[in-house]
Amino acid sequence: MSSLRTAATAKDAADPLAPLRDRFHVDDGEVYLDGNSLGALPRSVPDRLAEVVGHEWGRLRIRSWTESGWWEAPQRVGDRIAPLLGAAPGTTVVADSTSVNVFKAVVGGVRLAAARDPRRNEVLVDESTFPTDGYIAQSAAELTGCALRVLPAGEIPDALTPRTAVALVNHVDYRSGELRDLPGITAAVRAAGALSLWDLCHSGGALPVGLAEHGVDLAVGCTYKYLNGGPGAPAYLYVAPEHQADFRSPLPGWNSHRDPFGMAPEFTPAEGALRGRVGTPDILSLLALDAALDVWDEPAAEITAIREKSLALTDFFVHCVREYLPKALADGSVRNLTPERHDRRGSQIALRCPDALALTAELQRRGVVVDHRPPDVLRFGFTPLYTRFADAERAAKTLAEALGEA
């Protein structure tokens, strides 16, 4: 056994989060490092879905909206996610997709800013944002009569002007895994009189976010990555308490009405984060997510412990890559794009490699599942709830073998 494999075995034996792996359907014969795209299936989900389909839908039918708590599920599940984001109860609602929530948040944020100061007619977006955020921001800016400025996230504090209404930033860069300075950028945006809007898709459930602590105004995020909610699981929208009374969604649906069953022709918004709802919730996906969140009720599943293991996993993987691929690193054919500093790294490592798309398929053939981002980036995602140090070692060794440098 190699020294790295021995080290991985020792680290796994000492890992306080190791028992949580049994809460997921994961194959010990395969290394799954794609939880930053789709999390593994929690064992609690299939039985819960069978109950929802067989009993709540199959037998109770329409009665489940009240008797099974379907109607309150968006806010109830939102309150389960809120502590993982450092948010208070009543600030987070689960509904729709991330893209739809970005649209609500950008338009709602512009309206909030313009109500304070009509000069605020500009939206800032970081240039490396996930594409849909950019598409949505462009459309939202056009619809609200705003100009859109695209620039590096680190330049946003210096680019703020009295015209800035909203700054939309990704907390973790989806390509490189770089962790953005949420406290610093948020403070600068607030000092300039604008509103901060953070996309937490690649950080929620992987590291402490501190929405309330840092004064974030608005946030969105998906639940199918580090929260393991399943394919197409609904996203969440966060609205800070100070903005809830004045937040006006551009999609005022009957589910966000103060009296949804009153069927009034005029719209009167609900109180609090419920304004973020639109139409009838996707109950099957929503309740699958609810069951997936049960793992966070375990005492060991504390977000600071998750972050500690995430950093340990990514540190160890980078060490293994250095040991197994010295030639490729020396000649530059393999390059680490993820910052090595802990305060600048999410829960993934991105390597620039030749023929990355073909290499992704070859790694999968060898039992290591990662993903590819064009043109030449391999992403290795580490989900501390179920990823082992042995997985990190095997992934690095398999990469070396696939590149002919074993």
Side-chain angles (χ1 to χ4, degrees):
M1 181 181 293
S2 73
S3 60
L4 290 174
R5 188 168 301 176
T6 300
T9 300
K11 289 177 181 290
D12 285 327
D15 176 19
L17 300 184
L20 297 178
R21 180 179 170 87
D22 292 336
R23 298 288 299 269
F24 294 87
H25 284 281
V26 285
D27 181 358
D28 285 344
E30 177 184 80
V31 172
Y32 187 71
L33 297 182
D34 208 2
N36 54 334
S37 286
L38 177 64
L41 171 65
R43 293 187 183 276
S44 56
V45 171
D47 287 346
R48 175 61 179 132
L49 275 183
E51 179 186 18
V52 172
V53 172
H55 178 67
E56 296 180 11
W57 178 16
R59 294 182 177 84
L60 296 181
R61 294 179 288 275
I62 197 70
R63 292 158 52 195
S64 279
W65 285 106
T66 53
E67 295 183 22
S68 301
W70 287 2
W71 186 259
E72 298 80 17
Q75 55 266 40
R76 184 179 70 248
V77 179
D79 281 345
R80 298 190 73 184
I81 293 173
L84 304 178
L85 310 177
T91 59
T92 307
V93 66
V94 176
D96 307 306
S97 67
T98 304
S99 300
V100 173
N101 286 334
V102 169
F103 179 71
K104 297 176 200 172
V106 173
V107 175
V110 168
R111 289 173 170 176
L112 284 167
R116 298 174 181 172
D117 184 347
R119 295 176 300 168
R120 295 195 177 274
N121 59 358
E122 174 186 75
V123 175
L124 304 184
V125 180
D126 73 275
E127 66 180 10
S128 61
T129 188
F130 191 77
T132 194
D133 286 15
Y135 308 153
I136 296 291
Q138 177 68 56
S139 178
E142 293 171 358
L143 289 170
T144 55
C146 288
L148 184 75
R149 276 206 290 159
V150 182
L151 64 164
E155 296 180 11
I156 286 177
D158 293 330
L160 296 160
T161 74
R163 293 182 52 222
T164 306
V166 174
L168 168 59
V169 193
N170 279 226
H171 195 193
V172 173
D173 186 313
Y174 78 99
R175 288 189 189 88
S176 70
E178 178 184 357
L179 176 65
R180 301 298 174 39
D181 179 12
L182 183 147
I185 293 175
T186 299
V189 171
R190 179 167 288 255
L195 277 78
S196 59
L197 167 55
W198 287 90
D199 183 327
L200 308 178
C201 285
H202 287 85
S203 60
L207 53 92
V209 177
L211 293 181
E213 175 187 359
H214 301 303
V216 169
D217 298 299
L218 302 162
V220 301
C222 67
T223 62
Y224 48 79
K225 293 182 173 66
Y226 296 108
L227 296 179
N228 309 295
Y236 54 84
L237 170 67
Y238 166 84
V239 181
E242 66 189 271
H243 300 308
Q244 291 182 0
D246 299 315
F247 181 79
R248 292 190 297 128
S249 170
L251 299 172
W254 78 292
N255 266 237
S256 58
H257 197 286
R258 181 174 296 176
D259 181 16
F261 292 98
M263 305 300 173
E266 301 83 15
F267 180 75
T268 304
E271 298 293 331
L274 295 184
R275 295 180 178 210
R277 294 177 62 161
V278 183
T280 305
D282 186 341
I283 288 298
L284 297 183
S285 290
L286 185 56
L287 296 185
L289 167 63
D290 193 20
L293 293 172
D294 286 349
V295 68
W296 294 96
D297 294 334
E298 294 285 343
E302 202 275 324
I303 196 65
T304 55
I306 296 294
R307 177 59 167 166
E308 183 179 346
K309 182 178 176 182
S310 165
L311 293 174
L313 280 166
T314 49
D315 279 344
F316 184 64
F317 177 72
V318 170
H319 174 63
C320 291
V321 168
R322 287 178 181 145
E323 293 294 312
Y324 283 133
L325 290 105
K327 294 179 183 177
L329 291 171
D331 65 24
S333 57
V334 172
R335 185 159 64 90
N336 183 8
L337 301 181
T338 308
E340 295 200 19
R341 278 177 44 183
H342 285 182
D343 60 348
R344 294 189 57 209
R345 185 199 312 158
S347 199
Q348 74 176 52
I349 296 295
L351 299 180
R352 177 159 284 161
C353 300
D355 300 319
L357 180 58
L359 189 54
T360 302
E362 178 60 20
L363 289 173
Q364 183 167 332
R365 189 185 72 80
R366 295 169 182 252
V368 176
V369 179
V370 300
D371 74 3
H372 160 259
R373 287 293 177 267
D376 56 1
V377 176
L378 286 181
R379 300 193 315 167
F380 298 79
F382 296 86
T383 306
L385 292 171
Y386 54 78
T387 303
R388 302 172 300 186
F389 290 91
D391 296 330
E393 184 273 335
R394 180 179 163 191
K397 187 172 188 295
T398 304
L399 176 63
E401 293 169 347
L403 290 172
E405 197 177 330

